[in-house]
Amino acid sequence: MKKRLLFLTVFVFVASVANAQTILGVDVSHYQGTINWTQVAAAGKVFAYTKATEGINYTDNTFSANMTNGNNAGVVMGAYHFARPETNAAADEANYFLSVASSTITTGHMPPALDLEDPPSGTGLTSYFTSSALTAWVQTWMQTVQNQTGIAPIIYTSSSIAAYLGSSVNTYGLW
Protein backbone atom coordinates (compact mmCIF):
# COMPACT_ATOMS: atom_id res chain seq x y z
CA MET A 1 0.00 0.00 0.00
CA LYS A 2 1.49 3.31 -1.08
CA LYS A 3 1.22 6.17 1.40
CA ARG A 4 3.23 9.36 1.42
CA LEU A 5 3.18 12.53 3.44
CA LEU A 6 4.24 15.55 1.45
CA PHE A 7 6.00 18.61 2.72
CA LEU A 8 5.93 21.80 0.71
CA THR A 9 8.10 24.71 1.73
CA VAL A 10 6.93 28.14 0.70
CA PHE A 11 9.27 31.07 0.88
CA VAL A 12 7.76 34.43 1.72
CA PHE A 13 9.92 37.45 0.99
CA VAL A 14 9.30 40.42 3.23
CA ALA A 15 11.72 43.36 3.27
CA SER A 16 14.38 41.18 1.55
CA VAL A 17 14.28 38.56 4.31
CA ALA A 18 13.21 34.99 3.47
CA ASN A 19 11.06 33.11 5.97
CA ALA A 20 10.20 29.46 5.37
CA GLN A 21 6.92 27.84 6.31
CA THR A 22 6.13 24.13 6.04
CA ILE A 23 2.76 23.39 4.50
CA LEU A 24 1.47 19.84 4.84
CA GLY A 25 -0.30 17.84 2.17
CA VAL A 26 -1.08 14.27 1.21
CA ASP A 27 -0.76 12.08 -1.86
CA VAL A 28 -3.69 9.70 -2.38
CA SER A 29 -5.00 7.07 -4.76
CA HIS A 30 -7.36 4.08 -4.69
CA TYR A 31 -4.93 2.43 -2.26
CA GLN A 32 -6.28 4.67 0.53
CA GLY A 33 -9.93 3.77 -0.13
CA THR A 34 -12.63 6.30 0.76
CA ILE A 35 -11.08 9.35 2.36
CA ASN A 36 -12.75 11.58 4.94
CA TRP A 37 -11.59 14.89 3.49
CA THR A 38 -13.07 16.90 6.36
CA GLN A 39 -10.70 15.00 8.69
CA VAL A 40 -7.80 15.60 6.29
CA ALA A 41 -8.45 19.35 6.36
CA ALA A 42 -8.97 19.36 10.14
CA ALA A 43 -5.59 17.62 10.52
CA GLY A 44 -3.94 20.65 8.92
CA LYS A 45 -3.38 19.26 5.43
CA VAL A 46 -3.61 22.21 3.08
CA PHE A 47 -3.13 20.44 -0.25
CA ALA A 48 -3.41 17.01 -1.80
CA TYR A 49 -2.39 15.25 -4.98
CA THR A 50 -4.67 12.50 -6.18
CA LYS A 51 -3.77 9.91 -8.75
CA ALA A 52 -5.62 10.46 -12.00
CA THR A 53 -4.01 8.04 -14.43
CA GLU A 54 -1.30 5.48 -15.04
CA GLY A 55 0.20 4.58 -18.39
CA ILE A 56 -2.19 4.92 -21.33
CA ASN A 57 -5.28 3.08 -20.16
CA TYR A 58 -5.71 3.20 -16.37
CA THR A 59 -7.84 5.80 -14.61
CA ASP A 60 -7.84 5.67 -10.83
CA ASN A 61 -11.42 4.93 -9.80
CA THR A 62 -11.21 7.33 -6.83
CA PHE A 63 -9.88 10.30 -8.83
CA SER A 64 -13.14 12.19 -9.41
CA ALA A 65 -14.45 11.60 -5.89
CA ASN A 66 -11.14 12.65 -4.34
CA MET A 67 -10.96 15.84 -6.42
CA THR A 68 -14.56 16.80 -5.64
CA ASN A 69 -14.57 15.88 -1.96
CA GLY A 70 -11.12 17.36 -1.31
CA ASN A 71 -12.13 20.65 -2.94
CA ASN A 72 -15.39 20.68 -0.97
CA ALA A 73 -13.41 20.28 2.27
CA GLY A 74 -11.22 23.25 1.38
CA VAL A 75 -8.11 21.25 0.45
CA VAL A 76 -6.23 22.58 -2.59
CA MET A 77 -6.19 19.62 -4.99
CA GLY A 78 -3.94 18.52 -7.82
CA ALA A 79 -3.82 15.58 -10.21
CA TYR A 80 -0.87 13.30 -10.86
CA HIS A 81 0.01 10.73 -13.49
CA PHE A 82 1.97 7.56 -12.68
CA ALA A 83 4.42 7.16 -15.56
CA ARG A 84 5.13 3.90 -17.38
CA PRO A 85 7.95 5.04 -19.68
CA GLU A 86 9.24 1.49 -20.04
CA THR A 87 6.10 0.54 -22.01
CA ASN A 88 4.61 3.72 -23.53
CA ALA A 89 5.48 6.85 -25.47
CA ALA A 90 5.54 10.05 -23.42
CA ALA A 91 3.12 11.96 -25.64
CA ASP A 92 0.62 9.09 -25.47
CA GLU A 93 0.77 9.07 -21.67
CA ALA A 94 0.51 12.86 -21.46
CA ASN A 95 -2.50 12.91 -23.78
CA TYR A 96 -4.21 10.15 -21.81
CA PHE A 97 -3.61 12.06 -18.55
CA LEU A 98 -5.02 15.22 -20.12
CA SER A 99 -8.09 13.35 -21.42
CA VAL A 100 -8.92 12.47 -17.80
CA ALA A 101 -7.56 15.36 -15.73
CA SER A 102 -7.51 18.50 -17.91
CA SER A 103 -10.58 20.00 -16.22
CA THR A 104 -8.66 19.97 -12.91
CA ILE A 105 -5.58 21.71 -14.30
CA THR A 106 -6.66 25.27 -13.66
CA THR A 107 -6.04 28.22 -11.41
CA GLY A 108 -6.93 27.27 -7.85
CA HIS A 109 -5.48 23.77 -8.13
CA MET A 110 -1.99 22.41 -7.62
CA PRO A 111 0.00 22.11 -10.85
CA PRO A 112 -0.20 18.74 -12.60
CA ALA A 113 2.45 16.24 -11.57
CA LEU A 114 4.36 13.43 -13.25
CA ASP A 115 5.05 10.58 -10.83
CA LEU A 116 8.28 9.03 -12.15
CA GLU A 117 9.27 5.95 -10.17
CA ASP A 118 10.94 2.66 -10.87
CA PRO A 119 8.39 0.18 -12.28
CA PRO A 120 6.68 -2.13 -9.79
CA SER A 121 8.44 -5.03 -11.56
CA GLY A 122 11.58 -4.08 -9.63
CA THR A 123 13.72 -3.29 -12.67
CA GLY A 124 14.93 0.29 -12.34
CA LEU A 125 14.32 2.96 -14.96
CA THR A 126 18.07 3.35 -15.28
CA SER A 127 18.17 -0.23 -16.62
CA TYR A 128 15.64 0.63 -19.32
CA PHE A 129 16.95 4.03 -20.36
CA THR A 130 20.11 6.01 -20.80
CA SER A 131 20.06 9.32 -18.98
CA SER A 132 19.43 11.21 -22.22
CA ALA A 133 16.61 8.87 -23.30
CA LEU A 134 14.79 9.10 -19.96
CA THR A 135 15.30 12.87 -19.92
CA ALA A 136 13.81 13.11 -23.42
CA TRP A 137 10.80 11.03 -22.33
CA VAL A 138 10.20 13.26 -19.30
CA GLN A 139 10.73 16.44 -21.33
CA THR A 140 8.19 15.30 -23.92
CA TRP A 141 5.58 14.48 -21.25
CA MET A 142 6.13 17.79 -19.47
CA GLN A 143 6.03 19.87 -22.65
CA THR A 144 2.92 18.10 -23.94
CA VAL A 145 1.05 18.86 -20.72
CA GLN A 146 2.33 22.43 -20.50
CA ASN A 147 1.61 23.18 -24.17
CA GLN A 148 -1.99 21.99 -23.82
CA THR A 149 -2.75 23.59 -20.44
CA GLY A 150 -0.44 26.59 -20.17
CA ILE A 151 0.60 25.35 -16.72
CA ALA A 152 4.05 23.93 -16.02
CA PRO A 153 3.82 20.48 -14.41
CA ILE A 154 6.07 19.32 -11.60
CA ILE A 155 8.00 16.06 -11.25
CA TYR A 156 7.65 13.63 -8.36
CA THR A 157 10.62 11.28 -8.25
CA SER A 158 13.41 9.92 -6.09
CA SER A 159 16.69 11.78 -5.64
CA SER A 160 18.53 9.10 -7.62
CA ILE A 161 16.23 9.37 -10.64
CA ALA A 162 16.30 13.17 -10.40
CA ALA A 163 20.11 13.06 -10.48
CA TYR A 164 19.96 10.71 -13.50
CA LEU A 165 17.82 13.15 -15.49
CA GLY A 166 19.55 15.76 -17.61
CA SER A 167 19.52 19.44 -16.82
CA SER A 168 16.85 20.24 -19.47
CA VAL A 169 14.17 19.24 -16.96
CA ASN A 170 15.60 21.51 -14.23
CA THR A 171 13.13 24.22 -15.27
CA TYR A 172 10.34 22.15 -13.74
CA GLY A 173 9.57 21.99 -10.04
CA LEU A 174 10.65 18.89 -8.16
CA TRP A 175 8.36 17.31 -5.56
Side-chain angles (χ1 to χ4, degrees):
M1 184 177 297
K2 187 177 183 181
K3 291 184 182 182
R4 290 180 252 170
L5 180 61
L6 308 176
F7 296 94
L8 178 66
T9 302
V10 176
F11 296 96
V12 180
F13 293 94
V14 180
S16 300
V17 177
N19 298 307
Q21 178 182 1
T22 299
I23 300 172
L24 300 177
V26 294
D27 165 356
V28 299
S29 71
H30 65 279
Y31 290 112
Q32 284 73 46
T34 301
I35 296 168
N36 183 326
W37 286 100
T38 303
Q39 284 183 336
V40 171
K45 306 307 186 271
V46 175
F47 71 95
Y49 273 98
T50 186
K51 182 177 185 176
T53 55
E54 180 174 330
I56 58 170
N57 60 8
Y58 177 79
T59 299
D60 191 294
N61 64 0
T62 62
F63 173 65
S64 293
N66 283 333
M67 287 298 292
T68 299
N69 296 335
N71 279 324
N72 289 344
V75 177
V76 179
M77 301 298 292
Y80 78 86
H81 172 77
F82 188 91
R84 292 301 196 128
E86 73 282 8
T87 56
N88 303 304
D92 292 343
E93 289 206 15
N95 287 320
Y96 181 67
F97 171 70
L98 291 167
S99 76
V100 172
S102 64
S103 67
T104 67
I105 303 171
T106 61
T107 302
H109 289 92
M110 300 297 288
L114 175 65
D115 185 348
L116 185 66
E117 300 180 42
D118 286 331
S121 67
T123 304
L125 288 174
T126 58
S127 297
Y128 285 104
F129 295 96
T130 63
S131 174
S132 61
L134 185 58
T135 300
W137 193 99
V138 170
Q139 188 69 40
T140 297
W141 193 95
M142 303 296 273
Q143 286 178 335
T144 301
V145 171
Q146 186 169 0
N147 289 345
Q148 291 187 41
T149 65
I151 298 173
I154 63 171
I155 304 168
Y156 168 80
T157 195
S158 66
S159 59
S160 61
I161 292 174
Y164 193 68
L165 295 173
S167 62
S168 66
V169 296
N170 288 350
T171 59
Y172 296 102
L174 188 61
W175 151 23

